[in-house]
Amino acid sequence: KAADAARQQLAAIQQAQAERVKAQQTAEAALKEVQDAAQQKLSAAAAAKKAADEAAAAQKQREDAQKIAETEAAAAQKLAVEKARVAEEARKAATDNLQAAKQQQALAQRSDAEAQDLQRTIADRQRAVAEAAKAVAALETSRKQIEATVKQSEIDAATAQADIDRIRAAEQVQKMAEEAEKNRIAREAELKRIADQAAAATKAAADAQKALQEAQRQFEEAEKARQRVTQEAAAVSKGAPIPQPSAIPATSPSAKAAATPETALAMQATAKNPSLSVGVPKAKVDQTLENSLGMKFAPVGNVLFSVWLTRVQDFNAFAKASGLRSSAWMQPGFKQGPDHPVVNVSWNDAMAFCRWLTEKEHKEGLLSANEAYRLPTDLEWSKAVGLPDEDARTPELRDMDVPDQYPWGTQWPPPQGTGNYTGEETGSDVAIKGYDDGFAWTSPVGSFAANKLGLYDMGGNVWQWCMDWWNDDHRQKVLRGGSWYNGALKLSLLSSCRVHLAPDTYTDNYGFRVVLASDAGKGTRR
């Protein structure tokens, strides 16, 4: 019995030991499963982290590429502006003499080559934009992979906000790519303008020989006209009466005398100040003739010229009243005050201002039905700057047809205080040597002396839009007068110098002045 009991006890011990071995194996299997699960979690987390790191690296590469593209685009834009200035000045240098024409032709050829270089530069910028778009696509792919990992891992749930931030960054990159495309289109437009100017310079060089053959005859005629103008100016300075313009229809059936813009504004001035006499003012404007915006006027031929360029404060009144959508005129890139000439305005903007001011003063009873504001015609502007009569039919044919005559006279360089040009105050390579007007950008209207007709800034400060088309193609409008951006190239400062651009063009040295006319449509069909 004792032996049986011992055998039973031994069997029980062996069974217990077998159960412990089995339990230990079960525990080890469970531990291995836990370890395997933990390892899978760690592997998933490592993969998610690697994907996030790769996405961040891709985003940084894209940002670096975008910065490089923007820097190079800015350099290309600056180069394009500089080439435009060189092409414009080179075109006008062609009329100095035959040798200058040959040099201008060579410069035009160089401008063509530089234009081709700019085209290649723009193509490089386009490739940079395409690469940026590829980087955006790669970033989007990485984002989708990360989102798939997030669904399978609790650890990636903590990085959801970072994924959202990356999505927003991708959207911002897309916007930047769109802006880059807009800049590319703008650069292509600027390049086209340079190419057009280079082509015009080449044509001017080809025509130089013919123009030089006519130069002597034109100079003799100009000299006779200059002597006639000088005699008239001398008579004015001695108090002689100014020749009156041809009659203009009366402003109303009850009028007893022909009503001109001069008499209309004079009557307005008299209504404000009874001590003023009614009549056409002298050339020096010995009365204050103002409109509802405080713009002053002086007679030139059959119209009244604004003595000042249209100011920021004048254009601001128009913009507020009309709800003008364009804001370029408020952002010239340099500081301006209310009395500075408005810039960054196109021919279309200037005409809209004239229509608004006309309607405003018609409603206020300050203008008669046949009176209106408009831009001066090319020939009216020539008369206002003191040029003799010009016979050529279009502004293109009249361009630089009077040699060695500037808004201040005939001497070169201009006397100090003549006007706002590119002087040594700018530090520019094309500054007029020894000339310093004190203004690197625009200057307040009336900062320099008026001409004999009482008009300010007929040379310098800003180019001034005129009514006329450049030629019979009816594609470009005329600007006169030079600007703060023009300097040592003498031809660009001639009183007879014109530039021509599309009516919707604007930049930081284009502005305008208005005239008041009874024959409001005069010049609009040129």
Side-chain angles (χ1 to χ4, degrees), residues 359-372:
E359 293 173 1
K360 174 181 181 294
E361 296 199 350
H362 277 163
K363 293 178 181 178
E364 295 171 352
L366 299 177
L367 294 181
S368 60
N370 67 329
E371 292 174 332

Side-chain angles (χ1 to χ4, degrees), residues 260-403:
T260 67
E262 292 91 330
T263 58
L265 276 179
M267 287 187 287
Q268 293 176 33
T270 304
K272 297 178 181 179
N273 187 350
S275 65
L276 296 178
S277 60
V278 176
V280 179
K282 296 289 190 292
K284 293 282 186 174
V285 192
D286 53 7
Q287 297 155 323
T288 301
L289 304 179
E290 295 185 2
N291 67 4
S292 60
L293 297 181
M295 302 167 70
K296 297 185 179 181
F297 291 80
V300 177
N302 293 339
V303 299
L304 286 173
F305 258 71
S306 172
V307 302
W308 296 319
L309 298 162
T310 303
R311 301 164 295 184
V312 171
Q313 66 187 49
D314 305 324
F315 201 80
N316 183 49
F318 155 67
K320 288 183 177 179
S322 65
L324 182 68
R325 297 181 63 181
S326 171
S327 61
W329 65 275
M330 294 188 293
Q331 302 165 346
F334 47 82
K335 185 177 181 180
Q336 284 194 304
D339 58 348
H340 282 239
V342 66
V343 296
N344 275 347
V345 289
S346 66
W347 185 90
N348 295 332
D349 294 332
M351 289 297 293
F353 174 89
C354 293
R355 290 191 294 270
W356 167 79
L357 185 54
T358 299
E359 293 173 1
K360 174 181 181 294
E361 296 199 350
H362 277 163
K363 293 178 181 178
E364 295 171 352
L366 299 177
L367 294 181
S368 60
N370 67 329
E371 292 174 332
Y373 293 97
R374 59 169 169 81
L375 298 176
T377 68
D378 182 67
L379 290 177
E380 287 171 345
W381 201 97
S382 292
K383 182 183 292 291
V385 80
L387 286 174
D389 292 340
E390 297 171 291
D391 297 329
R393 190 172 61 85
T394 66
E396 180 181 24
L397 299 176
R398 295 192 288 266
D399 187 27
M400 294 188 290
D401 61 348
V402 182

Side-chain angles (χ1 to χ4, degrees), residues 117-160:
D117 291 339
L118 281 177
Q119 288 177 333
R120 287 192 291 270
T121 299
I122 289 175
D124 292 339
R125 299 293 82 72
Q126 289 174 334
R127 285 194 292 271
V129 170
E131 291 174 358
K134 290 180 180 178
V136 171
L139 188 59
E140 179 66 13
T141 301
S142 298
R143 182 187 63 78
K144 291 180 179 179
Q145 292 174 348
I146 292 171
E147 284 182 343
T149 303
V150 167
K151 293 178 181 179
Q152 300 175 6
S153 174
E154 293 180 356
I155 297 175
D156 283 347
T159 65

Side-chain angles (χ1 to χ4, degrees), residues 93-104:
T95 57
D96 263 356
N97 50 49
L98 181 59
Q99 183 61 35
K102 293 179 180 179
Q103 295 174 353
Q104 182 63 33

Side-chain angles (χ1 to χ4, degrees), residues 228-241:
R228 183 171 68 254
V229 173
T230 301
Q231 292 172 356
E232 293 176 358
V236 171
S237 65
K238 293 178 181 179

Side-chain angles (χ1 to χ4, degrees), residues 328-511:
W329 65 275
M330 294 188 293
Q331 302 165 346
F334 47 82
K335 185 177 181 180
Q336 284 194 304
D339 58 348
H340 282 239
V342 66
V343 296
N344 275 347
V345 289
S346 66
W347 185 90
N348 295 332
D349 294 332
M351 289 297 293
F353 174 89
C354 293
R355 290 191 294 270
W356 167 79
L357 185 54
T358 299
E359 293 173 1
K360 174 181 181 294
E361 296 199 350
H362 277 163
K363 293 178 181 178
E364 295 171 352
L366 299 177
L367 294 181
S368 60
N370 67 329
E371 292 174 332
Y373 293 97
R374 59 169 169 81
L375 298 176
T377 68
D378 182 67
L379 290 177
E380 287 171 345
W381 201 97
S382 292
K383 182 183 292 291
V385 80
L387 286 174
D389 292 340
E390 297 171 291
D391 297 329
R393 190 172 61 85
T394 66
E396 180 181 24
L397 299 176
R398 295 192 288 266
D399 187 27
M400 294 188 290
D401 61 348
V402 182
D404 300 324
Q405 184 164 334
Y406 306 95
W408 62 85
T410 58
Q411 72 264 44
W412 184 269
Q416 291 295 330
T418 294
N420 184 6
Y421 299 105
T422 299
E424 293 187 346
E425 76 283 348
T426 64
S428 172
D429 294 337
V430 296
I432 304 171
K433 300 300 182 184
Y435 186 81
D436 188 331
D437 56 55
F439 296 97
W441 309 98
T442 59
S443 57
V445 299
S447 296
F448 303 91
N451 69 4
K452 294 180 179 180
L453 296 176
L455 308 179
Y456 298 88
D457 293 321
M458 290 302 291
N461 219 353
V462 296
W463 286 98
Q464 304 169 38
W465 287 107
C466 293
M467 289 291 294
D468 303 63
W469 294 106
W470 171 244
N471 54 30
D472 292 336
D473 290 343
H474 287 193
R475 295 180 179 179
Q476 297 177 316
K477 291 292 186 177
V478 176
L479 296 104
R480 302 288 298 274
S483 74
W484 57 265
Y485 190 70
N486 300 99
L489 189 62
K490 297 166 60 176
L491 294 176
S492 65
L493 305 189
L494 285 172
S495 295
S496 57
C497 177
R498 281 100 167 155
V499 296
H500 50 97
L501 290 160
D504 59 354
T505 306
Y506 62 85
T507 189
D508 58 6
N509 63 332
Y510 295 171

